């Protein structure tokens, strides 16, 4: 038989065990050509699953009511109609919360025996570790000497972010909930400092732990933790947005409580890039700009509109009016 | 004599003309070696000046009380002790709100006669135009067929963003205040559509103007306009943050009214990059990740911590506990 956990009801806030239903089903028939039948050995449980329980658009479709809960597994091939996969092979798969799964061979990855325990492929070497790697190394691109702050720092993603950042020569500061996890962050995962976000003086303690400000904030949390981080960010800081755990328990449809929550949820789900800039940072491109755009202005292909006010003495009133939107086009004072 | 507008008082909200004071001073003595004496002909007035009137840290220092207001100018060299600059030359300079300015030659750029009216170098070919170019072409990198939405669209920056985006093959949607500016956006600057942010149905009209969603939002405004844009952003949308005009009239110290305002102000001033991501977008790097990190895990250089729960039947309770932070490390269910 195939024991299978199905989604029984959609939680309004924190999920309860009653939101899941255990069914015993026949072992799936197959495999057909190109498929493998898997016996799941280990199941990964991850926060993103909470989001899948909502009937809301996200980067992945929701789990339907009465459907098996999704999840990554370490599984053993028990029957194969696919080249390169044989009974007894261990694979990483999306086997779900059940004993058996039928999967297309293209959706599984064989684990080569490389001296690493197979379950590491659900954590440090699995999607959590790779998430840390992608967000830190490909988005944040930390430089030696920078300060990297990590939310949910003892979790499988955060703990890898901290260790990868340390190996890149950065100072690492953990944010975690409670003294035990803060201790774990320092002693087991090697963070230089750890700050408890439940501490009444969290803001001050975070600032004290980051005397040179924050160059990279690996965002896993959202909400008040983000509020405390923002003022400490340095010029040109990078914020890879990996998760917003503080929102995962929101009701179906995930109504955010603040506009910032909405932005962060959109940033994650839609993979937005938001980047502040000051034109002087781009000085190297000014010649290119003039070379490309001056001919367009000269030819009239690009329209200009200037609002020229006569007399230096009128500068203040023109300026005050501009801030009220009174001018049309570029406001310029002809001085004499 | 040199007429000079000085900052007389720091405005608490909207500036008044009384916040400025006109003084008549002697023409500055000089130039010394490497300097030029300039007669300012045209003065650019720009929203960023409002920010400089506050006594608050920003990307540039505030104007001091009793100091000349800063500003870009088209100026004529009247005396030169610098190679390559001669009396009569026209330059773009930061001459400020005054008749005469003494400047280091390195801080001015000579305008070569290229058939463009000199004042274009304060607008379309000046910092506003270059700001549009940098934010759109270097940060947003619009692709043909994408939808580009521009705030403050008839201003010198926004109008250039729209025209550069159109010439890159994009659909362009203007956001402007009032029917007249919306008409100007379409007829003079060639936007495909224009939406009035003062319209009571602004949100709906913006959505209607962007039937394929928004790929690039060139942020100039902040506040409620941003709130309306966020839900319309497509996957992988880019938001260059150029300005937050809605905040410029805040009191000294610029207390933002919402956490999102705080983030946007920080994004601009500190040139932050905030980027959401999903690990599957980085699939091309997975082999690199395993190759680099697996040896570190094998050697123990990277610590792991797994919290293994026994029995598929316990998956729901383990999952519920994880969302409360009850687990330590990576949560895994050993299925049998």
């Amino acid at each position: 038989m195939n024991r299978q956990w199905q989604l029984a009801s959609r939680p309004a806030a924190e999920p309860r065990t009653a939101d899941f239903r255990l069914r015993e089903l026949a072992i799936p028939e197959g495999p057909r050509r190109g498929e493998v039948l898997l016996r799941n050995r280990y199941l990964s449980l991850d926060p993103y699953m909470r989001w899948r329980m909502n009937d809301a658009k996200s980067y992945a479709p929701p789990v339907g009511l009465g459907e098996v809960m999704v999840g990554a597994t370490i599984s053993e091939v028990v029957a194969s109609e696919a080249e390169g996969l044989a009974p007894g092979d261990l694979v990483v798969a999306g086997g779900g919360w059940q004993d058996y799964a039928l999967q297309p061979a293209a959706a599984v990855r064989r684990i080569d025996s490389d001296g690493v325990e197979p379950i590491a492929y659900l954590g440090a070497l699995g999607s959590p570790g790779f998430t840390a790697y992608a967000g830190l190394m490909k988005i944040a691109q930390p430089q030696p000497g920078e300060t990297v702050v990590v939310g949910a720092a003892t979790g499988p993603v955060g703990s890898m972010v901290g260790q990868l950042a340390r190996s890149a020569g950065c100072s690492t500061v953990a944010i975690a909930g409670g003294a035990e996890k803060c201790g774990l962050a320092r002693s087991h995962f090697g963070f230089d400092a750890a700050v408890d976000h439940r501490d009444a003086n969290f803001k001050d303690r975070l600032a004290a732990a980051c005397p040179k400000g924050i160059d990279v904030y690996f965002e896993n949390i959202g909400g008040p933790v983000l509020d405390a981080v923002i003022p400490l960010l340095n010029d040109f800081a990078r914020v890879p947005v990996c998760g917003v755990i503080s929102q995962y328990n929101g009701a179906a449809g995930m109504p955010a409580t603040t506009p910032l929550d909405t932005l962060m949820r959109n940033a994650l789900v839609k993979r937005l890039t938001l980047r502040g800039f000051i034109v002087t940072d781009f000085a190297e491109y000014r010649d290119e700009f003039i070379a490309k755009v001056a001919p367009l202005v000269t030819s009239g292909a690009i329209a200009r509109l200037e609002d020229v006010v006569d007399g230096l003495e009128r500068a203040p009133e023109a300026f005050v009016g501009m801030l009220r939107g009174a001018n049309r086009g570029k406001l310029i004072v002809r001085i004499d």
Side-chain angles (χ1 to χ4, degrees), chain A:
Chain A
M1 298 300 284
N2 180 33
R3 294 174 300 164
Q4 179 179 85
W5 280 106
Q6 302 176 345
L7 181 62
S9 54
R10 299 196 185 280
E14 286 193 20
R16 298 157 304 148
T17 55
D19 293 321
F20 305 92
R21 180 176 50 212
L22 188 62
R23 282 289 162 87
E24 301 216 348
L25 307 169
I27 295 171
E29 284 186 25
R32 287 174 297 187
R33 196 164 164 196
E35 288 183 337
V36 285
L37 178 65
L38 304 175
R39 176 85 166 89
N40 298 327
R41 294 298 182 191
Y42 292 93
L43 166 66
S44 176
L45 293 180
D46 299 280
Y48 75 84
M49 294 168 174
R50 172 63 188 84
W51 216 330
R52 296 281 193 95
M53 297 173 77
N54 291 329
D55 189 18
K57 184 185 183 303
S58 180
Y59 52 86
V63 175
L65 289 173
E67 287 182 7
V68 60
M69 282 294 295
V70 294
T73 53
I74 301 294
S75 309
E76 185 182 331
V77 175
V78 292
S80 172
E81 289 294 333
E83 210 162 325
L85 289 168
D89 282 352
L90 278 187
V91 297
V92 181
W97 297 28
Q98 58 187 343
D99 287 312
Y100 290 92
L102 203 58
Q103 292 274 294
V108 311
R109 281 196 320 280
R110 199 176 58 193
I111 299 174
D112 298 315
S113 62
D114 54 3
V116 179
E117 259 189 284
I119 59 171
Y121 282 91
L122 294 179
L125 291 178
S127 288
F130 185 40
T131 299
Y133 184 83
L136 185 73
M137 306 308 286
K138 299 302 172 186
I139 294 181
Q141 300 180 23
Q143 304 301 309
E146 288 192 328
T147 298
V148 175
V149 173
V150 187
T154 61
V157 177
S159 61
M160 281 295 283
V161 173
Q163 295 183 90
L164 292 170
R166 189 190 52 193
S167 73
C170 298
S171 291
T172 57
V173 177
I175 297 176
E180 190 202 343
K181 287 187 177 174
C182 286
L184 195 62
R186 285 193 304 270
S187 64
H188 189 74
F189 293 121
F191 281 89
D192 295 312
V195 186
D196 181 357
H197 64 73
R198 297 176 190 160
D199 192 306
N201 296 317
F202 169 62
K203 275 195 168 190
D204 293 340
R205 291 190 198 277
L206 182 63
C210 306
K212 296 193 295 176
I214 298 173
D215 300 295
V216 174
Y217 174 55
F218 195 97
E219 171 64 304
N220 254 324
I221 306 179
V225 171
L226 176 61
D227 294 344
V229 164
I230 290 172
L232 301 175
L233 292 169
N234 289 332
D235 285 359
F236 303 106
R238 289 84 70 202
V239 182
V241 181
C242 170
V244 283
I245 296 173
S246 65
Q247 292 187 43
Y248 285 7
N249 269 330
M254 306 294 291
T257 52
T258 72
L260 179 56
D261 289 339
T262 302
L263 174 68
M264 295 303 284
R265 193 186 59 221
N266 275 270
L268 172 60
V269 173
K270 300 178 177 174
R271 291 88 116 192
L272 306 179
T273 299
L274 184 149
R275 180 172 161 195
F277 73 103
I278 305 289
V279 66
T280 46
D281 301 333
F282 289 82
E284 64 187 297
Y285 297 111
R286 191 179 274 268
D287 291 345
E288 170 190 308
F289 159 68
I290 295 291
K292 285 193 181 169
V293 179
L296 300 176
V297 172
T298 309
S299 72
I302 282 190
R304 293 158 42 204
L305 185 66
E306 283 118 9
D307 192 346
V308 179
V309 172
D310 269 308
L312 179 63
E313 64 280 7
R314 293 179 60 199
E317 70 182 79
F319 177 68
V320 168
M322 176 187 69
L323 289 177
R324 293 203 183 111
N327 60 307
R328 297 165 83 242
K330 177 71 193 87
L331 183 59
I332 292 171
V333 175
R334 184 186 287 122
I335 290 184
D336 60 355

